[in-house]
Amino acid sequence: MVPITLSVKFSVLFLILVNIFFHKSLEARETFEFSLGQKINVLSDKAFRKTSENEFEAIGNVVITHLNNSIYGEKARINFTTGEAEIVGNVRYIAPELTLYGTKLNYNFITRKIDLDNARVLSDNFVITGKKIFQNSADFIYAEDAEYTTCRDCPESWSVFGKRVNIEIGKYIKIKHAYIKINGVIAMYFPFIVFPIKQKRESGLLFPLLGFNSLEGFRYQQPLFWAIDDYKDATLIPSSFGNRGYGGEVQYRQNFKEKTWLEVNTLQLNDKIYAPYKTNKEQSGDRVYRHFSDLEFHSIYSHNINNHIYFSKSSDLDTSRDLDFYSKSKIVGTELGGGGFFEGQSSIFSLSTEAYFNQNMIISDPRKFDDQYVQILPKISVASIPYNIFHSNYPFLKNISLGFQGDYTIFKQNKFLDNGIIRNARRINLAPNLNWQLGNLGPVFFSHQTKLDYQKYHLPTETDNQFTKYGLIFETEAKIELERIFGLAYNEEKVIEQSDDSKSAVKEQSTIGSLPTLKADNDTSVTTIINNSYRHSQEYKIKHYYLNNQSFRGNSNFRNQIENDSGQFDYIDAIREREHVNSQVTAQDSLPLSNTLEFQWNNQLIKKSSKVFDPYVDGRYLKDNFDYSNIAFFEVSQGIDMNVKSNLLVNKLTRLYLNTGLTLSKLSLSAQEFFFHRTSEHKLTSTATYNFERFSLGGTFTYNSFNSSNTPVAKLAGYELMVKPTDLFTLKNSLNYNLQSRVINQSYYSLLYSPVNNCWRVELNYTRDLIDKKIGMLVYINYNENNFTSINVR
C-alpha cells in the first residue's frame, strides 16, 4: 500500500507542476531575434519555427523592429533564406519619414522593398490613400489609384486623385491624370500636378488662384514659380481677369546678401472694360493696355550705412480703384512714384540724403501728370548727438551740451508753371541748440534750451531770389517727479495640505478606471502663486516758451505766401508766431511759441511681473527676468498765451490736451482730445476694444471741428465686429460711417466657414464703398505644411 500511495501523490504533484508551467507559458510573450545582415527583433504572443522550410511564424500582436523601422500586425511569416516577410491584419509600418497603414504588407528585410495593400501613407503634412503602394528604394514610393490630401482626418473634404502617384521622399509628390475632388465630387482635371514636400525652393506650378467678383465675373490665375538659383527667383502668373480680359503678373526677387534685397512686381492687362472717366462695368468695345508696377530695394551695407528705395508706376490713375486687389497694398497716401534715402551714421552724428519724385493722384484727368506738384530733389540732412561742453556739481551748472541739426532741400516742379505762387525753391534749414541742465532745487529739477530757428531760401524763378527768416526759441522747464511702488514682483511655490475631508472624499470616490493620485510622503501638493508689483509715477511740469521777434529779409511776396499755410512747402516754412493757427496736421496741436506757459500733469501705471526662472538659460536670469506692461496712463497739458492782453483767463488759454488709456486683460480704451478755448473747436479721437471668448468688438470715433471756417466738420464713427458662434463659422462686420453727411463710407461683411479638419476654408464677403459694391468668394486650401493659400484673385 505504501508504494501505491507514493505513486499517487507523485502523479498529482507532477500534474500540478505541469499545469503551472503550461499556464505560465500561455501568459508569456515570445521574443525572437535573428540576423539577415541586420539585427531583427520579433515580439508576439505565439511563435513557431518551421525548420524544414526555414521559416518563422509569429501570431498575435506582432511587433518587428528592423534598423530604424518598426512593423506592427496580427500575423507575420518570415523566410530566413530570401528575407521575405508577410504581415497581415491592421498593418502599420513606421519609418522616420512617414507611417504606412494597410491590410497586408510584403516586406523584404534584405532589399527593403515594400508592397502594401489597401494602403494609407501618413506624414506630418499630408495623407495618401490607395489600393497599392510600392517602395523599391529608400527614396521613392509609388501608389496606384491613390488620393492625396492635407486633411489627416477627413480625406473626403478635398483630395487629388490620380491613377499613379509618385512620392519622392522629402522632395515631391507627382500625380499624373489628376482629378481635384471636393467632398468626393470631381471638380477639376489636370494632366499633371506636383506638390513640393521639401524646404528647398524648386521651379514648378503653384496652386491656381480662382475667384469671383459680382461686377467683373470669374478670375483665374495660374502661378509658375521659377527658382533661378539660391538667391534669385521669379513668379509668372498668366491670368484671366473675368470680363476685363487677359493679362498677368510677374514678380522678381533677388537676395544679394544678408539684409540686402530687390523685389520687382508688375501687373499687365488688356482691359476690355476701362475707358477714361468711365464708371460702369460694361465692356467698352476697346482694349486698353494697363499696368501697375513697383520696385523696392533695401540694403544695410554695415552697422552704420543703409538705404531704401521704393518706386511705383501705373498706366493711369484709375488703377488704384479698378485693380485695388493688387495696388492697394502698394500705394501709400495719395501719390504714385516714390524715392528713397541713403543714411550713414557714427557715434556722434548722422548724415542722410533723400529724394522723391511723385505723381499726384488727386487730379481730374487720370492720364495726366500734375506738373504743379512739388518734388523733393533732393534733401540732405545732418544731425549730431548732444555734445557735452561742461559738467560739474555746482548749482545751476550741472551740465551744458551743444547739439545740431539741419538740412538742405530742393523743391522743384516737374515743369515750371507761373501761376502767382512760388513753388520752386532751395532751402537751408539750421537748428543748432544749447541744452542747459541747471540741476535740482529741492525736489524740483530745472533745465533750459536755446534753439536757433534759421531758414534761408534761394528762389530761382524770381527776380528777387533771396529770402531769409530767423529767430531764437527759448524753452525753460521745471518738473517734479513722484512715484510709488506697490507690492513686490516674484513667484512663490506654496504647499497646500489636503484636509481630512478632501482625503476621505478621495477614498470614497467610486469612479471606475481612475488612476491613483500620486502624492508625496506628507500627502501635500504645491501651487505657484504669482505676485505682481505696480509702479505709479506722476510728473508735474511747467514749461515756458519764448520766441524773440523773427527777422525777415528778402522777397516780400514769398513772406506773404508762407503766412498762409497753403503757400508753404512744409511746416518748417511757417511763421513761428502763427504756426499754431495753421490747418496743417503738424501744426494743429502745437502751442504758440511767442510767450507761452504750459502746465503738464502726466500719470502712468505700470505692472511688473516676474518671469519663470529657467536655470538652463545662461546669463538671462539677472538681466531679463521681468515683464512690464502699461496698465493705464493719463496726460493733461494746458497752455497760457502771455502775450494776450485780457482780464479774462479764457482768452489767454491756448489748446487743452488730454490723453488717456486703459488696458486690462480683455478691455482696451483710449482717448485723445484737443480743445481750442477761443473758438470752442475740438479734435477728438477715441477707441475701445473688448475681446470675449467667442466674439470681439472694437469701435472708433473721430470728431474734428478745427479750422471749421475753411474745412467741414468731420464726424466719423466705425466699428469692427467678429463673432464666432461655433468652431465652424466666423462672422465679421466692419463699418465706417460719416455722421455729418449721414453716409456709409465703407462697409464689409464676411462669413468664414472653417471645418474642423483644418484643410480648407471658404469665405463669402460683401464690400461696399462710395463707388462700388462687390460680392466675392475666397477659398483657402491647406495644401502643405499648414499654409493656407487663397483660391482667389485677392
Side-chain angles (χ1 to χ4, degrees):
M1 292 296 295
V2 173
I4 297 176
T5 303
L6 292 175
S7 176
V8 170
K9 289 182 179 180
F10 178 79
S11 301
V12 172
L13 180 62
F14 176 79
L15 290 175
I16 293 173
L17 292 175
V18 169
N19 183 62
I20 293 173
F21 177 80
F22 181 75
H23 180 71
K24 288 186 177 180
S25 66
L26 290 177
E27 293 182 341
R29 284 173 58 81
E30 300 288 345
T31 303
F32 185 77
E33 181 178 311
F34 61 93
S35 176
L36 290 174
Q38 299 93 17
K39 184 187 292 185
I40 301 171
N41 293 301
V42 181
L43 178 66
S44 63
D45 293 338
K46 293 182 179 180
F48 304 95
R49 180 162 184 172
K50 298 179 182 180
T51 307
S52 60
E53 300 178 9
N54 200 21
E55 286 187 352
F56 175 83
E57 186 171 344
I59 301 174
N61 299 316
V62 179
V63 181
I64 304 174
T65 59
H66 174 225
L67 299 176
N68 295 324
N69 309 324
S70 299
I71 304 174
Y72 298 82
E74 295 298 326
K75 181 179 179 181
R77 186 174 67 250
I78 304 173
N79 188 292
F80 296 113
T81 304
T82 63
E84 292 286 344
E86 181 184 83
I87 302 95
V88 296
N90 297 320
V91 177
R92 182 167 43 141
Y93 174 87
I94 301 176
E97 304 86 6
L98 43 78
T99 301
L100 303 179
Y101 295 87
T103 58
K104 180 180 177 182
L105 171 65
N106 292 318
Y107 181 75
N108 190 296
F109 289 101
I110 299 175
T111 63
R112 299 173 61 183
K113 292 183 179 181
I114 292 176
D115 181 351
L116 185 62
D117 294 344
N118 302 316
R120 183 168 179 247
V121 181
L122 181 63
S123 177
D124 291 336
N125 306 319
F126 62 87
V127 176
I128 292 180
T129 57
K131 290 183 178 181
K132 278 273 192 180
I133 284 183
F134 305 92
Q135 183 175 14
N136 295 325
S137 67
D139 299 328
F140 293 93
I141 294 177
Y142 306 95
E144 294 180 352
D145 295 333
E147 292 188 6
Y148 165 87
T149 182
T150 56
C151 305
R152 296 174 62 92
D153 303 320
C154 54
E156 285 299 316
S157 294
W158 80 268
S159 62
V160 181
F161 174 82
K163 296 294 291 183
R164 184 176 178 87
V165 178
N166 298 333
I167 307 173
E168 191 174 355
I169 296 177
K171 294 184 178 181
Y172 298 105
I173 294 177
K174 302 176 182 180
I175 304 176
K176 294 182 179 180
H177 300 293
Y179 297 88
I180 296 179
K181 300 170 67 176
I182 298 178
N183 285 333
V185 179
I186 295 176
M188 192 175 299
Y189 167 78
F190 288 94
F192 186 69
I193 288 182
V194 178
F195 292 97
I197 55 173
K198 64 176 184 176
Q199 298 296 327
K200 186 178 180 180
R201 301 171 307 125
E202 291 288 343
S203 301
L205 293 176
L206 301 181
F207 213 84
L209 305 175
L210 306 175
F212 173 74
N213 183 285
S214 58
L215 299 176
E216 299 176 3
F218 289 93
R219 302 175 184 175
Y220 178 85
Q221 293 186 278
Q222 178 56 65
L224 172 62
F225 182 73
W226 179 21
I228 302 173
D229 57 33
D230 290 341
Y231 303 98
K232 297 188 289 291
D233 62 52
T235 305
L236 311 177
I237 312 178
S239 308
S240 174
F241 295 104
N243 299 333
R244 290 192 178 274
Y246 298 100
E249 298 179 29
V250 177
Q251 181 185 70
Y252 174 81
R253 302 183 303 174
Q254 182 171 352
N255 186 21
F256 297 94
K257 62 177 184 178
E258 184 179 6
K259 298 180 181 180
T260 301
W261 49 266
L262 169 69
E263 181 175 326
V264 180
N265 298 277
T266 181
L267 181 147
Q268 313 284 326
L269 169 65
N270 276 323
D271 200 330
K272 295 188 291 184
I273 292 178
Y274 176 73
Y277 309 105
K278 185 173 177 290
T279 58
N280 60 55
K281 301 297 182 179
E282 298 176 357
Q283 294 190 359
S284 62
D286 297 326
R287 294 178 182 268
V288 180
Y289 169 73
R290 307 179 73 189
H291 79 92
F292 189 98
S293 307
D294 75 306
L295 176 149
E296 188 169 8
F297 175 78
H298 181 80
S299 179
I300 298 179
Y301 300 100
S302 66
H303 181 69
N304 299 324
I305 301 176
N306 66 92
N307 79 303
H308 187 89
I309 296 174
Y310 178 80
F311 191 81
S312 61
K313 176 66 176 173
S314 69
S315 56
D316 57 83
L317 301 179
D318 291 328
T319 54
S320 61
R321 178 194 65 188
D322 297 338
L323 308 177
D324 61 339
F325 63 88
Y326 183 81
S327 62
K328 186 176 182 179
S329 61
K330 297 177 171 58
I331 295 178
V332 180
T334 59
E335 304 162 334
L336 290 175
F341 69 86
F342 185 90
E343 180 182 33
Q345 55 185 352
S346 68
S347 59
I348 59 175
F349 76 94
S350 66
L351 177 66
S352 66
T353 178
E354 56 186 301
Y356 304 96
F357 188 83
N358 292 315
Q359 181 179 7
N360 183 23
M361 298 175 60
I362 309 179
I363 57 175
S364 58
D365 192 337
R367 295 191 169 185
K368 182 179 179 181
F369 188 91
D370 186 4
D371 290 322
Q372 297 187 50
Y373 196 81
V374 178
Q375 314 293 341
I376 298 178
L377 298 169
K379 177 179 181 179
I380 301 174
S381 303
V382 61
S384 71
I385 65 170
Y387 180 74
N388 290 329
I389 58 176
F390 186 80
H391 183 80
S392 74
N393 293 322
Y394 295 109
F396 301 104
L397 290 174
K398 185 175 182 180
N399 190 76
I400 300 177
S401 61
L402 184 65
F404 175 81
Q405 61 182 15
D407 60 77
Y408 173 73
T409 310
I410 297 178
F411 302 98
K412 189 177 184 303
Q413 292 175 315
N414 186 47
K415 294 181 180 178
F416 170 65
L417 298 175
D418 188 5
N419 56 0
I421 300 178
I422 302 172
R423 307 308 293 159
N424 294 270
R426 300 175 183 176
R427 183 185 70 194
I428 297 176
N429 174 46
L430 302 177
N433 58 83
L434 179 69
N435 294 283
W436 182 6
Q437 296 184 8
L438 287 81
N440 292 82
L441 184 60
V444 185
F445 181 81
F446 294 89
S447 62
H448 175 81
Q449 182 187 77
T450 300
K451 182 174 71 174
L452 173 65
D453 182 47
Y454 177 90
Q455 291 86 36
K456 182 175 182 180
Y457 300 82
H458 174 70
L459 311 172
T461 61
E462 302 298 306
T463 304
D464 186 3
N465 59 9
Q466 299 292 328
F467 179 78
T468 305
K469 65 183 180 76
Y470 58 91
L472 290 174
I473 300 175
F474 304 97
E475 181 179 325
T476 305
E477 176 184 301
K479 68 176 181 180
I480 299 177
E481 292 186 57
L482 304 175
E483 72 173 35
R484 185 173 180 179
I485 298 176
F486 304 87
L488 183 64
Y490 65 97
N491 298 337
E492 63 175 337
E493 292 186 350
K494 187 175 181 179
V495 177
I496 302 178
E497 295 187 0
Q498 286 190 341
S499 63
D500 293 337
D501 295 337
S502 63
K503 293 178 182 179
S504 61
V506 172
K507 293 179 181 179
E508 293 173 0
Q509 69 178 2
S510 59
T511 304
I512 298 175
S514 61
L515 295 175
T517 305
L518 298 179
K519 297 286 186 180
D521 293 337
N522 56 358
D523 200 21
T524 58
S525 60
V526 178
T527 184
T528 300
I529 298 177
I530 300 176
N531 298 277
N532 300 320
S533 68
Y534 297 87
R535 175 181 177 267
H536 176 222
S537 64
Q538 296 186 74
E539 186 180 65
Y540 298 89
K541 281 186 182 182
I542 299 178
K543 301 183 75 172
H544 179 249
Y545 304 91
Y546 181 77
L547 173 67
N548 71 335
N549 294 329
Q550 275 191 303
S551 299
F552 304 95
R553 294 198 308 266
N555 193 308
S556 59
N557 292 331
F558 186 71
R559 175 183 175 176
N560 295 332
Q561 175 180 314
I562 62 176
E563 286 191 359
N564 187 344
D565 57 298
S566 62
Q568 300 168 6
F569 296 111
D570 55 34
Y571 71 97
I572 293 177
D573 298 330
I575 305 299
R576 293 291 171 255
E577 294 179 351
R578 296 180 51 81
E579 181 179 17
H580 62 288
V581 298
N582 289 341
S583 62
Q584 293 186 18
V585 176
T586 52
Q588 289 179 11
D589 312 333
S590 63
L591 292 168
L593 300 178
S594 54
N595 188 8
T596 302
L597 278 175
E598 181 188 13
F599 297 90
Q600 291 186 18
W601 179 33
N602 303 319
N603 289 265
Q604 205 169 36
L605 180 63
I606 297 175
K607 182 176 76 172
K608 179 181 178 181
S609 304
S610 177
K611 292 183 179 179
V612 177
F613 170 56
D614 187 354
Y616 300 103
V617 180
D618 294 334
R620 179 180 177 182
Y621 182 65
L622 296 179
K623 63 181 180 180
D624 187 25
N625 53 348
F626 294 103
D627 287 322
Y628 300 88
S629 59
N630 196 353
I631 300 298
F633 62 92
F634 178 71
E635 301 172 352
V636 181
S637 170
Q638 176 63 67
I640 301 177
D641 192 346
M642 307 300 292
N643 285 338
V644 176
K645 307 299 181 182
S646 175
N647 294 326
L648 297 176
L649 178 61
V650 69
N651 293 334
K652 295 185 178 182
L653 296 179
T654 64
R655 64 102 180 98
L656 170 67
Y657 169 70
L658 299 172
N659 187 27
T660 184
L662 174 67
T663 302
L664 300 177
S665 59
K666 296 181 179 181
L667 177 65
S668 178
L669 302 172
S670 68
Q672 187 182 76
E673 158 76 2
F674 291 92
F675 176 69
F676 304 88
H677 297 272
R678 297 176 188 176
T679 59
S680 298
E681 294 174 327
H682 296 264
K683 192 174 75 168
L684 170 67
T685 303
S686 59
T687 63
T689 304
Y690 196 92
N691 296 312
F692 296 87
E693 182 178 357
R694 287 203 169 268
F695 94 70
S696 64
L697 177 63
T700 61
F701 176 73
T702 302
Y703 179 88
N704 190 355
S705 62
F706 183 78
N707 199 25
S708 57
S709 58
N710 298 324
T711 58
V713 176
K715 297 180 183 179
L716 302 174
Y719 69 84
E720 292 185 0
L721 174 65
M722 190 277 290
V723 181
K724 196 170 185 179
T726 69
D727 293 334
L728 300 179
F729 294 97
T730 302
L731 303 172
K732 295 180 182 179
N733 174 224
S734 63
L735 185 140
N736 191 336
Y737 184 73
N738 191 326
L739 298 172
Q740 190 72 9
S741 60
R742 298 182 179 180
V743 173
I744 297 177
N745 293 336
Q746 188 175 41
S747 60
Y748 176 79
Y749 304 87
S750 168
L751 172 62
L752 176 66
Y753 174 69
S754 304
V756 294
N757 53 55
N758 196 39
C759 57
W760 62 277
R761 299 171 183 172
V762 176
E763 181 180 1
L764 302 176
N765 57 67
Y766 171 73
T767 304
R768 182 179 68 177
D769 55 28
L770 297 177
I771 300 176
D772 289 332
K773 299 178 182 179
K774 297 181 180 179
I775 299 175
M777 181 181 73
L778 308 176
V779 180
Y780 302 92
I781 295 293
N782 177 16
Y783 71 92
N784 196 10
E785 295 185 354
N786 274 337
N787 291 325
F788 280 89
T789 298
S790 60
I791 306 183
N792 75 303
V793 188
R794 291 172 297 278

